[in-house]
Amino acid sequence: MENRRKTIFLVDDDTTNLTIGKKALSGVYNVFTLISAADMLEMLDNIQPDLILLDVNMPDMDGHEAIQRVKSNEKTEQIPVVFLTAQCDEDMELKGLSLGAIDYITKPFSAPLLLKRMEVHLLVEDQKRELRAFNNNLAQMVQEQTETVIELKNAILSTMAELVEYRDKSTGGHIIRTQRYIKTLMDAMKEYGVYRSEILELDEELVLQSCQLHDVGKIAVKDSILNKPGKLTDDEFDSIKEHTTYGEKIILSLRDKTTDSEFLEYARIFAVSHHEKWDGSGYPSGLSGEDIPLLGRMMAICDVYDALVGLRPYKKAFTHEKSISIIFAGQGNHFDPLLIDLFAKIHCDFEQIAF
């Protein structure tokens, strides 16, 4: 609790009231007597009192206008205001309380009663300040803990992504590049109005975090198949295709152990649907058209583009021009036609990420 001597502004156009009030309070508090609301507002520029005793009925500017000015200024809005009045008017009191006053004291006032009322109100204000400080500190602690959890989650995601890339030696940097492609695609979808309402419903930060897990299922694929330098056999290709369902199983297992369901649902969609094709010839479920989740249709373009421009055990790296020509040729069969129309406008942004 604060031990310093508190400061009170006593504002009244009646000098007799100012004299009586100061005599009653000055033994305990620093009291500034002010004869008008204008003087009070000017004084507030230099001194912040702990409480204001404010007469309601004053010429030029009454107490109601004065309290509105006090409460509309962020520097003074927390200062408690107690009205002084010679009238017993229920409507007037209700108006003052609605404007932010904490109490009414009727004039002429009793000096002991005035002193006691000030003691009670200032004690309450001390407790309110302590509570605000506690809440602010608590909010800061929660924010710091939240940031720590987010950092830990991002570190785990990065480690899992690096583990996948370490095993699949041909795709170095693939995870971070596809994340940047997805961000570029999302920005363009909002700008050009392509599936804009669906995009705006998504939590972009969670989308960009979760897309790092789109290939997590490759953890379950044998190294000899992931890094085979030649063409895969049908059985080997079937094994590769299973990385989508492996990924879904891994993420569902994580979801059973946590409450972060929205993030993991995005991750599941990316993992299981990014190899589906618009015409239904993809895997693992043979979905077609808009039955394929939008995130899967978006990742299909990003994933294929990165595979085309990159060196793989089974192919050399293609130029950007050849890669986009292959993607354009897949419009309406492999890829969502609307997304390819959009890709045609922004493919140079993809090139800057890739090269």
Side-chain angles (χ1 to χ4, degrees), residues 10 38 80 82 92 98 104 106 138 140 162 181 188 196 210 218 224-225 244 300 302 310 317 331 339 347 349 355:
L10 175 56
V82 175
M92 184 183 69
S98 68
Y104 270 85
T106 303
L138 182 60
Q140 179 65 30
E162 288 171 3
Y181 298 145
R196 189 172 185 274
S210 64
K218 285 184 177 179
S224 59
I225 297 176
T244 54
C302 300
Q331 183 174 23
L339 292 181
H347 65 81
D349 295 331
F355 296 95

Side-chain angles (χ1 to χ4, degrees), residues 327-344:
I327 289 178
F328 291 152
Q331 183 174 23
N333 46 67
H334 190 154
F335 306 111
D336 181 332
L338 292 180
L339 292 181
I340 295 302
D341 285 341
L342 179 62
F343 178 74

Side-chain angles (χ1 to χ4, degrees), residues 195-204 262 266:
Y195 299 117
R196 189 172 185 274
S197 61
E198 291 94 324
I199 284 294
L200 291 177
E201 289 177 0
L202 300 173
D203 185 317
E204 182 172 332
E262 185 177 17
Y266 290 158

Side-chain angles (χ1 to χ4, degrees), residues 135-338:
N135 286 337
N136 289 337
N137 290 335
L138 182 60
Q140 179 65 30
M141 291 171 59
V142 170
Q143 181 179 353
E144 290 173 357
Q145 289 296 319
T146 300
E147 289 173 355
T148 299
V149 171
I150 291 173
E151 288 175 2
L152 178 60
K153 183 173 74 173
N154 288 338
I156 292 171
L157 285 175
S158 297
T159 300
M160 292 181 70
E162 288 171 3
L163 177 60
V164 171
E165 292 201 329
Y166 176 78
R167 295 191 63 245
D168 189 351
K169 296 180 175 60
S170 66
T171 60
H174 173 72
I175 300 295
I176 189 63
R177 286 193 300 273
T178 51
Q179 186 182 47
R180 293 176 66 187
Y181 298 145
I182 287 289
K183 174 69 166 66
T184 299
L185 196 55
M186 290 184 76
D187 289 345
M189 291 168 75
K190 286 182 281 190
E191 179 182 354
Y192 291 100
V194 177
Y195 299 117
R196 189 172 185 274
S197 61
E198 291 94 324
I199 284 294
L200 291 177
E201 289 177 0
L202 300 173
D203 185 317
E204 182 172 332
E205 182 178 354
L206 294 184
V207 168
L208 295 178
Q209 290 174 358
S210 64
C211 73
Q212 297 178 83
L213 297 180
H214 73 277
D215 272 339
V216 69
K218 285 184 177 179
I219 290 174
V221 179
K222 293 179 181 178
D223 289 348
S224 59
I225 297 176
L226 278 179
N227 298 299
K228 184 176 179 179
K231 183 178 180 181
L232 297 175
T233 65
D234 290 343
D235 287 343
E236 289 169 338
F237 186 54
D238 286 342
S239 179
I240 284 284
K241 289 194 292 186
E242 287 180 350
H243 82 274
T244 54
T245 52
Y246 286 145
E248 182 178 39
K249 289 176 182 177
I250 291 169
I251 293 165
L252 288 175
S253 177
L254 289 172
R255 193 175 69 181
D256 290 341
K257 299 177 178 67
T258 182
T259 58
D260 202 350
S261 58
E262 185 177 17
F263 162 76
L264 289 173
E265 178 59 15
Y266 290 158
R268 184 195 69 80
I269 291 170
F270 275 124
V272 77
S273 66
H274 69 283
H275 283 290
E276 300 287 358
K277 295 184 179 181
W278 186 259
D279 64 4
S281 63
Y283 61 86
S285 300
L287 301 177
S288 63
E290 293 190 5
D291 287 340
I292 305 169
L294 179 59
L295 294 179
R297 294 174 352 240
M298 292 162 59
M299 181 57 80
I301 296 172
C302 300
D303 190 57
V304 169
Y305 174 81
D306 199 63
L308 291 172
V309 298
L311 178 66
R312 296 292 187 270
Y314 53 86
K315 61 171 280 296
K316 64 180 182 179
F318 295 156
T319 65
H320 172 73
E321 290 72 20
K322 181 171 183 179
S323 298
I324 63 172
S325 69
I326 293 172
I327 289 178
F328 291 152
Q331 183 174 23
N333 46 67
H334 190 154
F335 306 111
D336 181 332
L338 292 180

